[in-house]
Amino acid sequence: MKTIICSDCHGRPDLLENVIKHSGYVSGQDRLIFAGDLVDIGYDPISCLEILKNHQAELLWGNHDLARYMGHPIWPQSSYDPEVYDAIYSNSHDFQIATIVGEDILVTHAGLGERFYNIYFKPYDDIEYVCEVLNAMSLMDFWNDYSPIWYRPNGYDRLVTSFRQICGHTPPTPENDLSMVSVDPYIRNGFDSKDRFRYAIVEDNTISIIDSNYDQKL
């Protein structure tokens, strides 16, 4: 069994279909995790949700999804259609903040930084406990710029390194690919291509980043 992690389709069904096809995902055999941001920017977020549900994907909250669910303005927010809100709301029980792959890989939308970690956890807390607590917290606790929904790596709030992390939200660059392990498919040249994909595969405790422009093993 392999685990496939993708994120940030932002209303683009083709970005999901490309991942599913290219990865060779087998429903009922492999594990598919979507690390958030179904809505906004693209043209068909409801089809994105349907694709993920049809393939038994695990759904994590993204900041755009949570903004739509909570009725908060966010830029760019294009999913004003009440049908989109209804789709997110009616499926909200299927969304989590975090999940674990293998023994030491935490998956969230944006990554768990030290500032948020130090508020809620102790240095000796293991990954199972961290994941359990994150999923039990109120969604309002994540409405800040250093939560695992909004975090971006920076000089004063480093990514927690006591376990490995896979996330989306922060578009990958040559500078952060190895440290961030981001599956966000956005790039300045190529995001709009109908053939675009970026995702992670975890097999035998090895993370591989599969990108339509290049591949990496981490």
Side-chain angles (χ1 to χ4, degrees), residues 104-143:
D104 71 331
I105 302 171
L106 183 73
V107 184
T108 62
H109 176 61
L112 180 57
E114 291 179 345
R115 181 179 177 186
F116 194 89
Y117 183 89
N118 290 337
I119 293 172
Y120 295 100
F121 303 104
K122 304 297 184 185
Y124 51 77
D125 288 336
D126 62 29
I127 189 173
E128 289 84 6
Y129 177 77
V130 169
C131 186
E132 180 181 351
V133 169
L134 289 174
N135 286 327
M137 292 171 63
S138 166
L139 292 177
M140 282 299 299
D141 290 329
F142 300 101
W143 200 254

Side-chain angles (χ1 to χ4, degrees), residues 55-69:
H55 288 86
Q56 293 80 51
E58 298 175 43
L59 304 175
L60 302 184
W61 286 109
N63 60 311
H64 283 262
D65 311 317
L66 190 57
R68 195 69 193 91
Y69 176 72

Side-chain angles (χ1 to χ4, degrees), residues 176-197:
N176 68 26
D177 270 354
L178 294 178
S179 61
M180 194 67 188
V181 193
S182 173
V183 292
D184 187 328
Y186 176 79
I187 54 173
R188 290 183 179 179
N189 181 21
F191 181 81
D192 291 331
S193 168
K194 291 295 183 181
D195 298 323
R196 176 71 179 137
F197 57 79

Side-chain angles (χ1 to χ4, degrees), residues 41-85:
I41 303 174
Y43 55 91
D44 197 350
I46 292 177
S47 288
C48 291
L49 180 59
E50 290 173 349
I51 289 169
L52 291 167
K53 289 178 69 69
N54 289 340
H55 288 86
Q56 293 80 51
E58 298 175 43
L59 304 175
L60 302 184
W61 286 109
N63 60 311
H64 283 262
D65 311 317
L66 190 57
R68 195 69 193 91
Y69 176 72
M70 299 177 71
H72 286 301
I74 184 176
W75 185 89
Q77 189 173 77
S78 55
S79 300
Y80 296 111
D81 188 339
E83 188 178 358
V84 174
Y85 171 80

Side-chain angles (χ1 to χ4, degrees), residues 110-114 151 153-154 157-161 165 167 179-180:
L112 180 57
E114 291 179 345
Y151 170 82
N154 56 72
D157 187 9
R158 296 175 298 176
L159 197 71
V160 172
T161 58
Q165 298 194 52
C167 51
S179 61
M180 194 67 188

